[in-house]
Amino acid sequence: MLKVVVIGSGNVTQHLISVFKESETVQLVQVYARNPENLYHIIDKEKITDSFENITDADIYIISVTDDAIAQVSSSLPFTNRLVVHTSGSVALEQLNNKNRRGVFYPLQTFSKNKSVNFNTVPLCLESEFEKDYSILEQLANSISHSVYNISSQQRKALHVAAVFVSNFVNHMYVQGKNVCEEHNIPFDILKPLILETADKVQQMDPIAAQTGPAVRNDRQTIEKHIDFINNDIQKEIYKLITQSIQDVKKL
Amino acid sequence: MLKVVVIGSGNVTQHLISVFKESETVQLVQVYARNPENLYHIIDKEKITDSFENITDADIYIISVTDDAIAQVSSSLPFTNRLVVHTSGSVALEQLNNKNRRGVFYPLQTFSKNKSVNFNTVPLCLESEFEKDYSILEQLANSISHSVYNISSQQRKALHVAAVFVSNFVNHMYVQGKNVCEEHNIPFDILKPLILETADKVQQMDPIAAQTGPAVRNDRQTIEKHIDFINNDIQKEIYKLITQSIQDVKKL
């Protein structure tokens, strides 16, 4: 059994706690939280501490706090030479205090409070300062997901940018679509099957091959009609810029 | 039984033929195609004609050709006062020749050649020139989908713009994400669960509530790091503009 301590109380922490509780390879020995009451609904009170001095022995310490707090929390740990990892997509391994053996355990998924996630399919991006620690991280990762990747800090930076495009920016396109619907008394529900199918398509097809619509067809008439139709300035700008970008890709 | 003639041979036509063949309410009596050989794999040769003069009697004629050809095809039909509909998101009902009773039967989905679609969940957007024809269209629509909407030409225009945002532009975000991955030797596969979950989330949540990432958190440090990291000009522009737009929405 791998003994794990989790540090944090946010969305990612709560998803990790849930999945570790169910794992047969992992023993979740303790959780550190500044505000233990945030976690009372998913873990026994006795397993939570709010004092760094009381943190117990474990094989891995997972710091799952906001990006800005990672360096500080890693410095506050009252021990040395243990395996300490963070879960962030955008923080370098070197941000962890070097008194411990450092690593990264980054689950590449979007986590929301009231929506459960099947961890089995969540890609886990691993990195370790020392080679021997990598196999410990790998053992932990394999116990909760069948999608495990060795990703360097530089690659993780790229991956985070890519994730912003395919998740945050995509979600904003949904917001824009919903805005257009609302302006014309159309229920957003009507777009939901299209949203799912668009995501489903690229599970099998290359997104370049999956591209459809007036931009890739260079259907100038429809593009002009759409630009005229949109009466929100930034929405119009987005329409023009992405249409341009789709046509640039096509030309390559 | 509703007797239907389909006119066309493209993606949408082929999906319609497949679903009508399986329906117990619809009798697909004939298909008109300029190039019948495109359809030999899904329908008997004897049911296909390439001559307008040979088009047979039916309750509904569905013109499913490219947008530019709709007006011309509807003028070429050698009969009058029958129910003739098109399947386009961006063509007004009035583009159909007025010698027949006009309507629209617009399936709001993205159709690709080698990917089957469950028609049952495809929203069908109906419009008719005459009220009595609406119930015929509705009967046809209900026989293949449980998601049927009455949508005016003006609303359909809006819907098409919304669909460009939530499908075509979303797909382009996938292209950008894939480009970033490839530049850093990361397999695109790693992003696929995130892509699915992002689409799945807004099936239940409002997209504004579902928004995550550095833009909505106003995490200036990460935003600046990402902008520095991106070395493709139009990608950088997209990053800046959508970040701006996410922050504008937040302020409302």
Side-chain angles (χ1 to χ4, degrees):
Chain A
M1 292 284 269
L2 277 173
K3 288 188 187 171
V4 174
V5 168
V6 175
I7 297 165
S9 65
N11 273 339
V12 177
T13 313
Q14 296 192 17
H15 279 98
L16 283 175
I17 291 173
S18 302
V19 70
F20 287 149
K21 269 167 57 184
E22 282 166 28
S23 161
E24 288 174 7
T25 323
V26 177
Q27 189 188 354
L28 182 63
V29 289
Q30 196 183 42
V31 178
Y32 167 91
R34 261 192 317 188
N35 305 302
E37 59 279 11
N38 291 350
L39 301 176
Y40 286 171
H41 62 296
I42 46 166
I43 192 159
D44 293 345
K45 280 185 190 181
E46 303 80 62
K47 281 207 170 173
I48 313 176
T49 179
D50 62 357
S51 148
F52 284 120
E53 296 309 318
N54 291 339
I55 288 189
T56 190
D57 276 7
D59 299 305
I60 309 174
Y61 296 82
I62 301 178
I63 300 179
S64 172
V65 298
T66 57
D67 290 357
D68 299 343
I70 290 172
Q72 159 95 65
V73 167
S74 74
S75 305
S76 305
L77 297 175
F79 47 74
T80 61
N81 200 30
R82 299 190 194 168
L83 178 54
V84 173
V85 303
H86 72 65
T87 59
S88 166
S90 54
V91 173
L93 178 141
E94 287 72 26
Q95 297 278 306
L96 291 167
N97 189 293
N98 66 2
K99 67 184 169 186
N100 282 295
R101 286 147 36 217
R102 302 175 290 185
V104 179
F105 187 89
Y106 167 46
L108 181 61
Q109 189 50 285
T110 169
F111 296 99
S112 298
K113 233 172 204 161
N114 300 310
K115 180 149 188 340
S116 71
V117 161
N118 175 8
F119 237 94
N120 221 353
T121 61
V122 173
L124 297 175
C125 306
L126 311 184
E127 183 182 7
S128 67
E129 186 176 13
F130 301 104
E131 218 178 313
K132 63 162 186 166
D133 288 329
Y134 191 81
S135 61
I136 304 179
L137 283 183
E138 210 174 16
Q139 199 189 337
L140 179 69
N142 284 330
S143 79
I144 59 173
S145 169
H146 58 60
S147 179
V148 176
Y149 294 86
N150 185 348
I151 295 287
S152 69
S153 279
Q154 182 66 7
Q155 283 178 314
R156 196 152 34 79
K157 232 188 225 175
L159 207 45
H160 195 238
V161 173
V164 167
F165 278 95
V166 306
S167 180
N168 305 154
F169 289 179
V170 159
N171 186 76
H172 186 64
M173 296 299 120
Y174 301 156
V175 169
Q176 293 294 348
K178 187 172 185 237
N179 287 347
V180 173
C181 282
E182 278 176 352
E183 275 171 39
H184 296 86
N185 296 312
I186 304 164
F188 179 59
D189 277 354
I190 200 171
L191 292 177
K192 289 179 180 175
L194 178 61
I195 285 173
L196 270 189
E197 176 67 13
T198 303
D200 199 45
K201 244 176 164 177
V202 295
Q203 305 296 310
Q204 301 144 52
M205 284 174 81
D206 185 297
I208 290 183
Q211 189 69 56
T212 56
V216 75
R217 283 198 311 271
N218 197 23
D219 176 351
R220 294 307 318 167
Q221 227 184 326
T222 301
I223 293 169
E224 291 307 327
K225 270 200 276 181
H226 284 180
I227 291 170
D228 281 351
F229 189 82
I230 296 170
N231 49 36
N232 170 309
D233 283 348
I234 197 160
Q235 205 172 56
K236 213 187 268 271
E237 253 189 279
I238 292 173
Y239 191 100
K240 286 181 189 167
L241 182 61
I242 301 188
T243 293
Q244 178 60 51
S245 186
I246 291 172
Q247 300 192 325
D248 285 358
V249 168
K250 200 187 160 191
K251 278 186 214 126
L252 293 180
Chain B
M1 294 282 271
L2 277 174
K3 286 188 190 172
V4 173
V5 168
V6 175
I7 297 166
S9 64
N11 274 338
V12 177
T13 313
Q14 296 193 17
H15 278 98
L16 283 174
I17 291 173
S18 302
V19 70
F20 287 150
K21 270 167 54 185
E22 282 166 29
S23 162
E24 288 172 6
T25 322
V26 177
Q27 189 187 353
L28 181 63
V29 290
Q30 196 182 43
V31 178
Y32 168 91
R34 260 192 317 186
N35 305 303
E37 59 280 9
N38 291 350
L39 301 175
Y40 287 170
H41 63 295
I42 47 168
I43 191 160
D44 292 345
K45 280 185 190 182
E46 304 79 60
K47 282 207 168 172
I48 313 175
T49 180
D50 61 357
S51 147
F52 284 119
E53 297 308 318
N54 291 337
I55 288 189
T56 190
D57 276 7
D59 300 304
I60 309 173
Y61 297 81
I62 302 178
I63 299 179
S64 172
V65 299
T66 56
D67 290 359
D68 298 343
I70 291 172
Q72 159 96 63
V73 167
S74 73
S75 305
S76 306
L77 296 175
F79 47 74
T80 61
N81 199 32
R82 300 192 194 167
L83 178 54
V84 174
V85 304
H86 72 64
T87 59
S88 167
S90 54
V91 173
L93 179 140
E94 287 73 25
Q95 297 279 305
L96 291 167
N97 189 294
N98 65 1
K99 67 186 171 186
N100 282 295
R101 288 147 36 218
R102 302 175 289 184
V104 179
F105 187 88
Y106 167 46
L108 181 60
Q109 188 50 283
T110 168
F111 296 99
S112 299
K113 235 172 204 162
N114 299 310
K115 181 150 187 339
S116 70
V117 161
N118 176 8
F119 237 92
N120 223 354
T121 61
V122 174
L124 297 175
C125 306
L126 310 183
E127 182 181 7
S128 68
E129 185 177 13
F130 301 105
E131 217 178 314
K132 62 162 186 165
D133 288 329
Y134 191 81
S135 62
I136 304 179
L137 283 183
E138 211 174 16
Q139 198 188 335
L140 179 69
N142 285 329
S143 79
I144 59 172
S145 169
H146 58 61
S147 178
V148 177
Y149 296 84
N150 185 347
I151 295 287
S152 69
S153 279
Q154 182 67 9
Q155 283 178 313
R156 195 152 35 79
K157 234 188 225 177
L159 206 44
H160 195 237
V161 173
V164 167
F165 278 95
V166 307
S167 180
N168 305 155
F169 289 179
V170 159
N171 186 75
H172 186 64
M173 296 299 122
Y174 302 156
V175 169
Q176 293 295 349
K178 187 171 186 237
N179 286 347
V180 174
C181 282
E182 278 176 350
E183 275 171 39
H184 297 86
N185 296 313
I186 303 165
F188 178 59
D189 277 354
I190 201 170
L191 293 177
K192 290 179 179 175
L194 177 63
I195 285 172
L196 269 189
E197 176 68 14
T198 303
D200 199 47
K201 245 175 161 176
V202 296
Q203 304 296 310
Q204 302 145 50
M205 286 175 79
D206 186 299
I208 289 182
Q211 190 68 56
T212 56
V216 76
R217 283 200 310 272
N218 196 22
D219 176 351
R220 295 306 319 166
Q221 227 184 325
T222 301
I223 294 169
E224 291 307 328
K225 269 199 277 181
H226 283 179
I227 292 171
D228 282 350
F229 188 83
I230 297 170
N231 48 36
N232 170 309
D233 283 348
I234 198 160
Q235 204 174 57
K236 213 187 266 274
E237 254 189 278
I238 293 173
Y239 191 99
K240 287 181 190 169
L241 182 61
I242 301 188
T243 293
Q244 179 60 51
S245 187
I246 290 172
Q247 300 192 326
D248 284 359
V249 168
K250 201 188 160 188
K251 279 185 214 128
L252 293 180

